[in-house]
C-alpha cells in the first residue's frame, strides 16, 4: 500500500509509516487522544442533555398551564350550557349561535375571496410596494451601469398637521426592506412605522424597494452597488444635510452592513432591525431555524430549487419555511382570529396579507450567496464573505455609528444572531473605541420578528427614540453601549424621552449567550454543504437543468401551494360566484351573538385546544430537530471534519493595532491642532483617568461638544474624526499627548479658557477622584497655569441666547440617562476662534468641476456644501 504513494511528497510517506509503526503513537499519546475524544463526547452529551431538558421543561410548564386554563374554560362553558338548559335559554342560545356562526363563515370566506382577488391583482401589477404613503421614483437600478431590480423611492409626506414639513438641512432617512420572499413596504406598512416616525419629525424619507423579477445576471454585488448609488443620489439631493441614516430591516440589515462596509464614506448612522448577521448563534433549546441547513441540506438545496425555476429562486419557498416555523399561527390562528372577529378584522387581515402574499424572485447567484456565505457559512462574522472575488467584506471598515435593535421574542433573528458578530469582529470594547466606532444596541423584551418593523408600539417608542437621539449618539465617545428607553411623555411631535446609555464590555455580550460551544457543529455543516454543492453541480445539475424549461418553471411557480390557495379562493373560482352578494346581504342583516353565549365560549375553548395541540407538535418537532442536528454533526469526528471552518477570526492584540494606518496617522499629528483638539484630548485623558463616568459628566460633555462654539459648527463627520483621532493619540501616546498641549494652546487666553471648559465638565473638586485631580494638575503644570483651585459651575463657552431643546445626558449608577431639556444656545463669543480641524489628505480627495458646475469628490461622488454656521436653524440637525 505504501508503494502506491511513493510518487507523493515525503510527508505523506512519513504519515503512512506512522500508521504502520506501533511505536509512533506511544501509550501516553494514545491515552491523551482517547481522553480528548471522551471529553468531547461528554461535552456533547451535556449539551444535548441541557437542550433536551430545556425543551421538556418548557413544554411541561407551558402546556401544563395552558391545559389547566383551557380545561377551566371548558368546564365553565359546560357549566354555562347546563345553566342555559335549566333556565330554558338553551335552544335560543343555540339558534342565535348557529345563525351567527353561519354568517361569520360566509363573511370569512368572502374575506378570503377578496384576499385572492387582491393577490391576483397585486401579481398582475408586478407586486408594487405596499407602502401606505404616496411616493415617487427617484432612481431605477435597472438604469445604472450594473443593473439591478432595485429602485429608490421618495416618500411624499401627507398634507396634515401631524407631519412636519421636511427641512432641507435635516438628515435624510433611507430604509432598506428585506428581500426574503416578500415584497417591499413593511417599513412603511402603517402610519406609525419607521417612515411615519421620521416624516413626523421633518426628515426627508427615502425607501429602497425592488421589483418582483431580478435583472438577468443580477448578483448581490450589483445590488450593493445600486444601494450605494441610491445613497449618493440622496446626498446630492440634500447637500446641506449630514450623511443619511440607513435603516435595514431583517435581511435588509445585513445588506446595510455590506453597503456601509464597502462604502464607509457614504452612510451616516446605520440602524439594523432584527438583522441576522452571526447566523450560527443562538441558545440551546431555542431558535430551531438555525438547524435547517444541517437537517434539510445546505447550499445544494438553493441550487436545486433555482434550477427548477430555470435559474430563478421562488420566494414563495422562503415564505413557506417561515410559516412552518409557527404552523399553529399561520395555518389556524390567524384564520380563526379572522372568523371570530370578522366584523372588525378583515381590513387589517387584508392589508397584511397583501404584503405576506406578494412573492418575489431571486437569481440563483443571489440565493446561493445568501445561503453559502451567510446562513450556512457564517462568513460575514469571520471576515471571509466576498461580494466579489478577492474583495472581503470587513465590518471593521464601517465608520458610522451602528445601532442594533433585537428582541427576545424574535424566533427568526434572536439577539445572539443580531449581536454576536461584535464578539467575532473585535478583540474587546477597547478596539471598538480605538477604531473610532460607536456600536449601540437595544434588546426588546417580547416583540416578535415582524413586530420590530410593523408594531405601532415599537414605532411610537423605539424607532421614535432612535430618530430623536441620533445627534447625541454621534457625540458619544467611541465604544460599545446598550441603550434602553426608560420613559417618555408628550404627543408624538413634542415627545420627550428618558433614555439610558450603558457602557458595555464584551463580557456583557457573552452573557446574552449560554456559551458558544454549540456553534462548533455548524462548521462541519458548512464544510459538508460545500462538498454537497460541488457534487450536485458536477454530477446532478446537468440532468436537472436538461429537464427544465422556462414554461415548466413558470408552471411550478403558478402551482405553488401558497399561490394556489389564494387563486382557488378568488373570484376566478366559479363555485364562489354567490359569495359577494350573500356577504353584502349578511352585512345588512348582521346580528352578532352576545359574548356571554355559552356556545361562543365553547367555540373559543375548542379553538384554543386546537392551537395548543399544533403548538405542542411544533415544540416536539423542534426538540427532535435539535437533537438530530447535534447527533449528526456534534460527534468528535464531525468536529474534526469541520475544523477548517471553525467559528471565529484572527483578532489583533492592542499592540498590533498600533500598526493600523489611522493610528500611525494620528500619532504623526500629536502636536497639530488647536483649541478644539486640545479640549477633546484633555477630556478623553480625564475619562481614562477616572475609569468610570461620574454623574452628569456626559450631560456637560455632550452640551459642550454639540451646542457650544467652536464645536457647534462642526459637521458630524468632522466631530467624529476629531474624537477618533484624539482617542488614538491618548490611547497609544498619553505622555506625548499631554506634553504637546502647549503647542495646541499657544496663547494664555486659550489655555485659561480650555482649562475652564475641562474643569467645568468633571464638576466640583470635592467630587473628583484623586487621579482626576492629579491629571488636571498635570494639565495646568504643562500649560504653565496656576494650580487647580475653585469650582467651575457655569459653562465657560455658553451665552444667553435661547435655543431649542438639545438632548440631555445624565450618568447614574453606571448608566447614562438622556432626556430632552431646554438649554441656552452657545456661540463663539468667549471661545477662541483659532481652532482648525485637521483632516488627513487621504480623506479629502481632490475635487473637480462637472459640466453642470457641481463639485464632485472621490469616485464620482458629489461633494456636499457644508451647512452655514452663520444662520441658525430652527432646531438641531439630526
Amino acid at each position: 500500500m505504501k508503494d502506491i504513494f511513493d510518487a507523493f511528497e515525503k510527508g505523506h510517506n512519513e504519515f503512512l509509516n506512522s500508521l504502520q509503526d506501533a511505536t509512533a503513537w506511544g501509550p501516553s499519546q494514545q491515552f491523551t487522544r482517547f481522553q480528548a475524544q471522551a471529553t468531547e463526547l461528554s461535552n456533547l452529551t451535556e449539551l444535548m442533555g441541557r437542550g433536551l431538558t430545556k425543551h421538556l421543561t418548557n413544554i411541561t410548564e407551558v402546556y401544563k398551564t395552558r391545559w389547566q386554563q383551557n380545561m377551566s374554560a371548558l368546564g365553565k362553558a359546560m357549566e354555562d350550557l347546563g345553566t342555559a338548559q335549566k333556565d330554558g335559554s338553551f335552544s335560543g342560545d343555540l339558534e342565535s349561535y348557529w345563525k351567527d356562526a353561519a354568517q361569520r363563515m360566509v363573511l370569512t370566506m368572502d374575506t378570503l375571496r377578496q384576499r385572492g382577488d387582491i393577490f391576483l391583482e397585486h401579481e398582475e401589477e408586478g407586486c408594487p410596494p405596499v407602502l401606505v404613503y404616496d411616493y415617487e421614483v427617484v432612481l431605477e437600478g435597472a438604469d445604472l451601469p450594473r443593473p439591478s431590480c432595485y429602485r429608490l423611492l421618495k416618500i411624499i409626506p401627507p398634507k396634515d398637521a401631524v407631519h412636519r414639513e421636511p427641512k432641507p438641512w435635516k438628515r435624510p432617512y433611507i430604509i432598506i426592506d428585506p428581500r426574503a420572499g416578500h415584497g417591499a413596504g413593511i417599513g412603511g406598512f402603517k402610519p406609525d412605522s419607521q417612515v411615519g416616525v421620521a416624516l413626523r419629525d421633518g426628515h426627508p424619507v427615502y425607501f429602497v424597494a425592488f421589483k418582483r423579477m431580478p435583472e438577468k445576471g443580477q448578483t448581490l454585488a450589483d445590488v450593493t452597488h445600486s444601494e450605494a448609488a441610491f445613497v449618493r443620489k440622496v446626498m446630492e439631493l440634500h447637500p446641506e444635510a449630514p450623511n443619511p441614516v440607513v435603516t435595514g430591516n431583517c435581511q435588509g440589515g445585513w445588506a446595510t452592513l455590506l453597503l456601509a462596509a464597502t462604502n464607509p464614506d457614504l452612510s451616516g448612522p446605520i440602524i439594523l432591525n432584527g438583522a441576522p448577521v452571526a447566523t450560527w448563534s443562538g441558545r440551546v433549546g431555542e431558535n430551531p431555524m438555525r438547524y435547517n441547513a444541517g437537517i434539510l441540506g445546505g447550499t445544494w438545496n438553493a441550487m436545486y430549487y433555482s434550477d427548477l425555476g430555470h435559474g430563478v429562486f421562488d420566494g414563495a419557498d422562503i415564505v413557506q419555511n417561515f410559516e412552518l416555523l409557527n404552523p399553529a399561527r399561520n395555518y389556524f390562528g390567524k384564520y380563526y382570529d379572522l372568523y371570530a372577529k370578522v366584523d372588525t378584522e378583515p381590513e387589517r387581515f387584508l392589508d397584511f396579507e397583501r404584503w405576506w402574499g406578494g412573492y418575489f424572485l431571486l437569481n440563483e447567484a443571489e440565493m446561493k450567496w445568501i445561503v453559502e456565505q451567510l446562513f450556512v457559512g457564517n462568513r460575514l462574522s469571520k471576515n471571509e464573505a466576498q461580494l466579489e472575488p478577492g474583495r472581503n467584506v470587513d465590518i471593521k471598515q464601517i465608520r458610522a455609528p451602528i445601532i442594533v435593535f433585537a428582541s427576545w421574542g424574535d424566533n427568526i433573528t434572536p439577539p445572539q444572531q443580531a449581536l454576536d458578530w461584535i464578539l467575532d469582529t473585535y478583540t474587546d470594547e477597547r478596539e471598538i473605541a480605538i477604531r473610532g466606532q460607536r456600536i449601540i444596541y437595544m434588546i426588546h423584551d417580547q416583540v416578535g420578528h415582524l413586530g420590530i418593523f410593523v408594531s405601532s408600539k415599537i414605532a411610537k417608542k423605539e424607532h421614535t427614540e432612535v430618530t430623536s437621539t441620533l445627534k447625541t449618539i454621534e457625540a458619544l465617545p467611541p465604544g460599545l453601549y446598550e441603550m434602553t428607553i426608560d420613559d417618555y411623555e408628550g404627543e408624538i411631535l413634542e415627545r420627550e424621552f428618558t433614555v439610558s446609555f450603558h457602557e458595555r464590555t464584551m463580557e456583557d455580550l457573552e452573557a446574552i449567550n449560554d456559551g458558544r460551544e454549540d456553534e462548533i457543529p455548524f462548521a462541519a455543516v458548512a464544510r459538508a454543504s460545500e462538498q454537497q454543492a460541488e457534487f450536485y453541480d458536477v454530477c446532478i445539475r446537468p440532468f436537472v437543468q436538461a429537464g427544465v424549461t422556462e414554461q415548466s418553471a413558470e408552471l411550478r411557480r403558478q402551482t405553488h401551494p401558497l399561490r394556489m390557495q389564494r387563486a382557488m379562493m378568488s373570484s376566478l373560482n366559479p363555485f364562489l360566484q354567490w359569495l359577494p352578494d350573500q356577504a353584502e346581504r349578511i352585512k345588512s342583516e348582521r346580528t352578532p351573538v352576545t359574548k356571554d353565549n355559552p356556545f361562543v365560549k365553547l367555540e373559543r375553548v375548542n379553538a384554543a385546544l386546537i392551537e395548543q395541540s399544533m403548538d405542542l407538535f411544533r415544540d416536539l418537532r423542534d426538540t427532535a430537530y435539535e437533537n438530530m442536528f447535534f447527533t449528526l454533526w456534534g460527534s468528535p469526528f464531525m468536529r474534526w471534519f469541520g475544523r477548517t471552518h471553525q467559528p471565529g477570526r484572527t483578532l489583533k492584540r492592542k499592540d498590533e493595532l498600533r500598526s493600523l494606518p489611522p493610528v500611525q496617522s494620528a500619532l504623526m499629528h500629536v502636536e497639530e491642532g488647536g483649541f478644539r483638539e486640545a479640549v477633546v484630548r484633555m477630556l478623553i485623558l480625564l475619562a481614562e483617568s477616572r475609569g468610570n463616568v461620574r454623574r452628569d459628566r456626559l450631560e456637560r460633555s455632550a452640551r459642550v461638544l454639540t451646542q457650544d462654539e467652536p464645536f457647534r459648527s462642526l459637521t458630524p463627520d468632522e466631530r467624529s474624526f476629531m474624537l477618533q483621532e484624539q482617542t488614538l493619540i491618548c490611547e497609544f501616546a498619553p505622555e506625548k499627548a499631554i506634553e504637546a498641549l502647549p503647542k495646541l494652546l499657544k496663547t494664555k487666553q486659550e489655555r485659561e479658557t480650555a482649562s475652564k471648559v475641562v474643569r467645568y465638565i468633571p464638576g466640583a473638586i470635592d467630587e473628583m477622584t484623586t487621579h482626576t485631580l492629579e491629571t488636571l494638575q498635570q494639565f495646568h503644570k504643562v500649560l504653565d497655569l496656576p494650580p487647580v483651585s475653585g469650582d467651575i459651575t457655569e459653562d465657560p463657552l455658553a451665552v444667553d441666547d435661547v435655543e431649542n431643546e438639545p438632548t440631555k445626558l445624565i450618568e447614574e449608577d453606571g448608566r447614562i440617562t438622556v432626556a430632552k431639556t431646554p438649554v441656552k444656545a452657545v456661540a463663539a463669543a468667549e471661545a477662541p476662534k483659532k481652532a482648525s480641524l485637521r483632516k488627513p489628505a487621504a480623506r479629502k480627495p481632490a475635487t473637480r468641476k462637472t459640466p453642470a458646475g457641481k463639485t464632485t469628490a472621490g469616485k464620482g461622488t458629489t461633494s456636499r456644501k457644508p451647512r452655514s454656521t452663520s444662520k441658525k436653524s430652527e432646531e438641531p440637525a439630526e
Side-chain angles (χ1 to χ4, degrees):
M1 179 188 209
K2 174 182 172 183
D3 295 337
I4 301 176
F5 297 92
D6 283 344
F8 291 138
E9 59 183 319
K10 181 180 178 182
H12 287 167
N13 292 331
E14 289 178 350
F15 175 70
L16 292 173
N17 284 329
S18 69
L19 292 179
Q20 296 176 356
D21 185 1
T23 62
W25 296 79
S28 60
Q29 293 175 312
Q30 291 281 9
F31 178 78
T32 302
R33 179 166 60 89
F34 290 139
Q35 187 179 41
Q37 292 178 355
T39 301
E40 289 183 356
L41 285 173
S42 175
N43 292 339
L44 175 63
T45 303
E46 187 275 333
L47 184 70
M48 294 178 64
R50 176 156 47 95
L52 184 61
T53 301
K54 190 170 185 178
H55 277 294
L56 296 180
T57 302
N58 179 70
I59 289 173
T60 302
E61 293 177 352
V62 170
Y63 291 98
K64 176 184 176 182
T65 303
R66 289 179 66 176
W67 178 259
Q68 290 173 343
Q69 292 173 346
N70 290 334
M71 287 299 99
S72 175
L74 179 60
K76 183 66 170 61
M78 297 304 295
E79 183 180 334
D80 291 344
L81 283 175
T83 302
Q85 192 170 12
K86 289 179 182 179
D87 62 20
S89 61
F90 183 88
S91 60
D93 289 340
L94 180 60
E95 181 182 354
S96 60
Y97 169 75
W98 279 116
K99 181 179 179 180
D100 173 75
Q103 289 177 340
R104 283 188 288 143
M105 180 57 69
V106 172
L107 294 177
T108 300
M109 291 180 64
D110 188 60
T111 303
L112 295 178
R113 178 195 61 80
Q114 294 178 53
R115 181 185 72 166
D117 291 347
I118 291 173
F119 165 75
L120 295 175
E121 180 184 355
H122 195 55
E123 288 264 312
E124 187 177 350
E125 293 174 353
C127 296
V130 295
L131 295 165
V132 296
Y133 298 94
D134 293 331
Y135 59 85
E136 60 184 30
V137 179
V138 177
L139 191 61
E140 287 280 4
D143 299 331
L144 296 174
R146 298 181 65 167
S148 75
C149 64
Y150 280 63
R151 57 203 325 208
L152 178 65
L153 311 178
K154 181 179 181 180
I155 304 299
I156 301 174
K159 300 295 183 181
D160 56 37
V162 178
H163 296 82
R164 289 175 175 162
E165 187 69 23
K167 308 294 184 183
W169 46 267
K170 275 212 164 191
R171 189 191 294 274
Y173 275 69
I174 302 175
I175 298 172
I176 302 178
D177 251 15
R179 184 161 159 251
H182 300 293
I186 196 66
F189 176 65
K190 293 182 178 181
D192 293 322
S193 61
Q194 298 163 328
V195 173
V197 166
L199 286 177
R200 286 172 180 162
D201 200 33
H203 294 270
V205 180
Y206 294 83
F207 206 89
V208 176
F210 36 84
K211 300 175 185 176
R212 180 173 177 268
M213 180 65 73
E215 293 291 318
K216 188 175 180 61
Q218 175 179 309
T219 65
L220 258 297
D222 298 329
V223 171
T224 303
H225 278 275
S226 294
E227 291 167 345
F230 295 160
V231 176
R232 292 189 182 96
K233 183 65 176 179
V234 172
M235 293 168 64
E236 178 184 336
L237 294 174
H238 300 274
E240 300 178 27
N243 283 11
V245 175
V246 183
T247 298
N249 295 327
C250 188
Q251 294 204 45
W254 54 256
T256 301
L257 274 182
L258 295 179
L259 168 66
T262 53
N263 301 273
D265 60 318
L266 288 184
S267 71
I270 63 175
I271 303 173
L272 314 179
N273 291 316
V277 181
T279 52
W280 291 357
S281 297
R283 284 181 173 176
V284 177
E286 303 174 19
N287 318 128
M289 188 176 179
R290 61 181 182 144
Y291 304 124
N292 277 354
I295 302 299
L296 303 178
T299 309
W300 79 269
N301 251 330
M303 298 165 66
Y304 172 67
Y305 282 105
S306 297
D307 288 339
L308 293 181
H310 207 250
V312 175
F313 189 93
D314 189 358
D317 292 324
I318 305 177
V319 177
Q320 194 169 44
N321 278 338
F322 289 152
E323 291 189 346
L324 289 171
L325 275 177
N326 194 354
R329 182 63 198 164
N330 292 305
Y331 298 139
F332 177 78
K334 70 177 181 181
Y335 296 110
Y336 176 73
D337 286 347
L338 172 63
Y339 173 70
K341 308 172 186 176
V342 74
D343 297 308
T344 57
E345 186 74 3
E347 183 178 356
R348 189 210 63 81
F349 176 84
L350 292 174
D351 284 344
F352 180 77
E353 286 293 305
R354 183 167 177 259
W355 172 75
W356 187 256
Y359 308 119
F360 280 59
L361 310 177
L362 298 91
N363 280 340
E364 188 261 348
E366 296 179 282
M367 194 63 196
K368 183 182 178 184
W369 192 98
I370 294 171
V371 174
E372 184 177 59
Q373 305 231 14
L374 195 67
F375 288 99
V376 176
N378 195 33
R379 297 181 182 177
L380 189 56
S381 287
K382 296 189 292 183
N383 195 31
E384 296 175 1
Q386 291 188 351
L387 270 178
E388 298 167 304
R391 187 182 182 187
N392 281 35
V393 179
D394 191 354
I395 299 176
K396 290 183 180 181
Q397 298 301 317
I398 300 174
R399 292 292 169 260
I402 303 174
I403 303 166
V404 182
F405 183 46
S407 172
W408 290 114
D410 190 342
N411 66 338
I412 294 178
T413 306
Q416 296 82 11
Q417 293 188 11
L419 296 171
D420 277 1
W421 61 269
I422 303 172
L423 294 171
D424 296 336
T425 303
Y426 300 96
T427 305
D428 54 24
E429 63 279 357
R430 290 304 303 155
E431 184 182 355
I432 298 176
I434 289 171
R435 292 182 179 273
Q437 294 181 289
R438 298 162 188 81
I439 301 177
I440 300 96
Y441 66 90
M442 298 182 291
I443 304 181
H444 196 275
D445 291 335
Q446 57 188 4
V447 68
H449 186 70
L450 290 178
I452 295 176
F453 334 123
V454 178
S455 170
S456 296
K457 181 180 179 182
I458 299 299
K460 289 178 179 178
K461 195 173 181 182
E462 275 78 0
H463 295 319
T464 306
E465 180 46 38
V466 170
T467 302
S468 65
T469 60
L470 279 177
K471 189 173 182 181
T472 301
I473 289 172
E474 290 186 315
L476 288 173
L480 177 65
Y481 300 88
E482 180 181 4
M483 176 171 138
T484 59
I485 301 171
D486 301 324
D487 194 14
Y488 67 93
E489 60 182 12
E491 297 299 324
I492 189 72
L493 286 180
E494 307 300 331
R495 182 159 291 171
E496 297 179 357
F497 289 86
T498 301
V499 179
S500 298
F501 285 88
H502 309 255
E503 291 187 281
R504 293 300 187 222
T505 64
M506 293 300 183
E507 287 73 20
D508 295 314
L509 289 182
E510 290 173 353
I512 296 174
N513 289 284
D514 57 352
R516 305 193 70 182
E517 185 74 10
D518 58 311
E519 296 180 26
I520 295 178
F522 289 90
V525 176
R527 185 177 181 186
S529 175
E530 291 178 1
Q531 295 179 353
Q532 291 167 0
E534 285 293 324
F535 177 79
Y536 173 81
D537 190 42
V538 174
C539 300
I540 300 177
R541 168 170 271 183
F543 300 101
V544 176
Q545 290 181 338
V548 176
T549 64
E550 185 60 46
Q551 291 73 23
S552 68
E554 183 62 25
L555 177 63
R556 179 185 179 274
R557 285 192 285 268
Q558 293 303 323
T559 56
H560 193 282
L562 295 184
R563 291 189 178 89
M564 287 294 292
Q565 70 173 344
R566 286 164 171 76
M568 291 179 66
M569 281 298 295
S570 71
S571 297
L572 291 180
N573 189 338
F575 295 102
L576 300 180
Q577 296 301 318
W578 57 276
L579 261 180
D581 294 338
Q582 186 70 9
E584 288 299 323
R585 185 180 67 80
I586 288 176
K587 288 178 183 178
S588 63
E589 302 173 356
R590 181 83 171 103
T591 52
V593 71
T594 58
K595 293 183 179 179
D596 59 352
N597 187 296
F599 293 97
V600 172
K601 296 179 181 179
L602 188 61
E603 172 197 293
R604 291 174 182 168
V605 172
N606 287 329
L609 288 171
I610 293 173
E611 193 162 354
Q612 174 183 316
S613 64
M614 296 181 71
D615 283 342
L616 178 59
F617 161 78
R618 176 202 63 199
D619 291 344
L620 291 174
R621 176 203 66 186
D622 294 347
T623 304
Y625 247 49
E626 184 174 86
N627 280 274
M628 185 184 302
F629 176 86
F630 286 116
T631 300
L632 290 173
W633 303 102
S635 66
F637 172 76
M638 283 302 175
R639 292 166 68 95
W640 173 86
F641 177 73
R643 69 194 185 284
T644 57
H645 292 61
Q646 288 289 325
R649 60 186 286 185
T650 302
L651 302 175
K652 289 180 178 292
R653 300 189 305 273
K654 179 184 173 181
D655 56 338
E656 294 176 320
L657 295 173
R658 178 180 285 270
S659 63
L660 293 175
V663 176
Q664 293 297 314
S665 175
L667 295 179
M668 290 172 61
H669 300 90
V670 175
E671 300 180 354
E672 296 183 15
F675 179 85
R676 288 184 291 205
E677 288 80 2
V679 169
V680 169
R681 182 181 300 182
M682 288 190 284
L683 290 178
I684 293 172
L685 289 168
L686 280 181
E688 292 291 332
S689 72
R690 282 190 293 271
N692 54 20
V693 183
R694 193 178 54 77
R695 179 181 178 85
D696 294 342
R697 181 259 170 189
L698 281 177
E699 173 192 357
R700 298 185 184 116
S701 177
R703 164 159 181 190
V704 168
L705 295 181
T706 61
Q707 300 299 318
D708 291 358
E709 290 292 2
F711 300 99
R712 178 183 173 85
S713 56
L714 292 173
T715 66
D717 290 341
E718 291 171 336
R719 185 181 294 109
S720 176
F721 171 73
M722 183 172 64
L723 285 168
Q724 178 188 1
E725 183 177 61
Q726 297 306 317
T727 297
L728 295 177
I729 291 173
C730 296
E731 180 74 27
F732 290 96
E735 295 82 7
K736 291 184 178 179
I738 296 175
E739 293 172 1
L741 287 175
K743 297 185 178 180
L744 275 62
L745 301 169
K746 296 181 172 59
T747 67
K748 183 177 181 180
Q749 181 184 1
E750 285 182 337
R751 297 179 181 185
E752 291 177 347
T753 305
S755 170
K756 291 179 181 178
V757 173
V758 174
R759 290 165 56 194
Y760 160 71
I761 290 175
I765 293 179
D766 294 340
E767 299 176 358
M768 294 181 187
T769 64
T770 303
H771 199 179
T772 299
L773 187 57
E774 290 176 355
T775 305
L776 282 173
Q777 298 289 13
Q778 189 177 4
F779 292 160
H780 275 234
K781 182 178 180 180
V782 169
L783 294 173
D784 196 21
L785 295 174
V788 175
S789 62
D791 298 332
I792 305 295
T793 58
E794 297 293 332
D795 185 352
L797 301 181
V799 293
D800 294 331
D801 293 342
V802 178
E803 172 64 12
N804 275 324
E805 301 180 1
T807 308
K808 174 182 178 182
L809 286 78
I810 303 173
E811 199 283 338
E812 185 175 10
D813 297 332
R815 69 179 187 179
I816 306 162
T817 303
V818 181
K820 289 197 133 187
T821 53
V823 299
K824 299 175 183 178
V826 294
E830 297 184 28
K833 300 191 177 185
K834 186 178 180 181
S836 61
L837 179 67
R838 187 192 60 78
K839 294 185 181 179
R843 294 197 178 193
K844 190 174 181 182
T847 59
R848 58 183 177 84
K849 292 288 184 179
T850 63
K854 295 182 179 180
T855 306
T856 59
K859 300 179 181 180
T861 58
T862 304
S863 66
R864 296 174 298 135
K865 300 176 182 177
R867 212 166 12 134
S868 173
T869 57
S870 60
K871 179 182 177 182
K872 282 189 177 181
S873 60
E874 296 179 6
E875 49 189 308
E878 296 287 336

